[in-house]
Amino acid sequence: MRRKIVAGNWKMNTTPAEGKALIGELLSKIADVPAGVEVIVSTPFTHLVPAAEQLSGSRIALSAQNCANKESGAYTGEISAKMVAATGAQYVILGHSERREYYGETDAILLEKTKLALENGLAPIFCIGEKLEERESNIHFDVVKTQIEAVVCQLSSEELSKVVLAYEPVWAIGTGKTATSEQAQEMHAYIRSVLAVKFGKQAEEVAILYGGSAKPGNAPELFSQPDVDGGLIGGASLVADDFIAIAKSF
Ligand code: PEP
């Protein structure tokens, strides 16, 4: 049985006080989520220390949304994987399309980040996915394959066992356009087949989340697909009732 995971990506939203209130609401409702479902929240960096304290002893895990591709030193404005781990966060989102697109994060940079995250005990939630024009040109499988081979296939199988993957078609992120459950299933199965070339049967154990305009209304159908192991949720993770409803959708 693979893990079932619902992770919220708050992006650049909420002040620390608003984040504290949102976590408070999630903690008050988390008992409604079946015990087998892992729930993660990814807050801005500024919230991590108090959020770790607030979540301590609960079943909600904590994630950062990024970390540096350098270990330490003269990199003004950066936050290292070691610093993130020291906050008490257990996960870090890496390779999100917004980081790839707006901050020029290449596969090479993402491999450095992924390695540093793992070395510092953080579990990467590694995002992959094609842009609209890539799907329309029918190269979406090749794009995703390249993203996986450049980073995930460079890891050892022990490292892979810590990684969660998130397939996020860029055209579905924040657009209200969700992939159909058939499109999600088709790509998730393909991702598993790419992993299997290097990792064999271990590919069956990797949790692959879907991300892109997932909502309480569409999550049950998406999560019912055999290779969809949960969701990475942006907008809907900022509304406690919606996020909890999604986590109850398996
Ligand atoms: C995301 O940014 O990871 C995401 C899936 O966003 P949304 O749910 O808002 O499309």
Side-chain angles (χ1 to χ4, degrees):
M1 267 275 278
R2 277 194 297 270
R3 300 164 69 189
K4 294 182 169 72
I5 302 172
V6 170
N9 175 13
W10 293 7
K11 310 194 187 192
M12 197 171 70
N13 292 297
T14 73
T15 62
E18 289 163 350
K20 184 177 178 192
L22 180 50
I23 288 177
E25 246 191 289
L26 293 174
L27 288 172
S28 73
K29 296 168 198 255
I30 193 68
D32 295 348
V33 177
V37 179
E38 297 176 48
V39 177
I40 303 169
V41 291
S42 308
T43 74
F45 285 131
T46 45
H47 307 16
L48 290 174
V49 169
E53 206 169 296
Q54 196 180 2
L55 292 170
S56 137
S58 83
R59 52 177 281 213
I60 303 180
L62 182 62
S63 176
Q65 299 171 18
N66 186 24
C67 69
N69 64 327
K70 308 287 183 194
E71 220 170 308
S72 67
Y75 300 103
T76 302
E78 288 295 300
I79 308 279
S80 71
K82 187 176 181 178
M83 292 172 188
V84 170
T87 66
Q90 301 95 343
Y91 292 87
V92 58
I93 296 175
L94 292 174
H96 193 283
S97 65
E98 289 153 15
R99 301 291 321 169
R100 292 179 191 262
E101 188 167 340
Y102 307 142
Y103 300 95
E105 296 196 359
T106 60
D107 289 333
I109 290 172
L110 291 170
L111 178 58
E112 293 172 338
K113 290 187 178 205
T114 303
K115 285 279 192 185
L116 283 166
L118 289 162
E119 280 166 24
N120 284 282
L122 292 169
I125 301 172
F126 191 77
C127 306
I128 51 189
E130 82 285 355
K131 296 179 188 163
L132 182 60
E133 60 268 29
E134 293 165 338
R135 181 162 280 264
E136 285 174 347
S137 320
N138 209 26
I139 56 167
H140 46 297
F141 291 113
D142 295 337
V143 168
V144 168
K145 182 174 186 231
T146 302
Q147 291 171 337
I148 297 170
E149 287 180 342
V151 179
V152 185
C153 290
Q154 305 304 313
L155 304 177
S156 67
S157 63
E158 199 195 327
E159 288 172 323
L160 179 70
S161 70
K162 312 279 194 303
V163 174
V164 174
L165 285 181
Y167 168 58
E168 300 205 301
V170 180
W171 46 272
I173 297 179
T175 59
K177 247 193 239 169
T178 319
T180 64
S181 53
E182 291 78 18
Q183 286 171 322
Q185 169 56 29
E186 183 184 39
M187 183 59 89
H188 284 224
Y190 176 73
I191 290 167
R192 235 179 262 296
S193 77
V194 173
L195 292 173
V197 173
K198 163 145 190 198
F199 297 103
K201 282 202 168 94
Q202 193 185 356
E204 287 300 316
E205 293 159 23
V206 178
I208 308 177
L209 315 184
Y210 166 80
S213 299
K215 303 266 179 301
N218 56 32
E221 201 189 326
L222 287 161
F223 295 179
S224 71
Q225 300 303 308
D227 287 289
V228 178
D229 304 312
L232 180 55
I233 316 298
S237 72
L238 294 167
V239 179
D241 282 337
D242 287 354
F243 187 58
I244 294 291
I246 292 170
K248 286 166 66 182
S249 297
F250 289 95

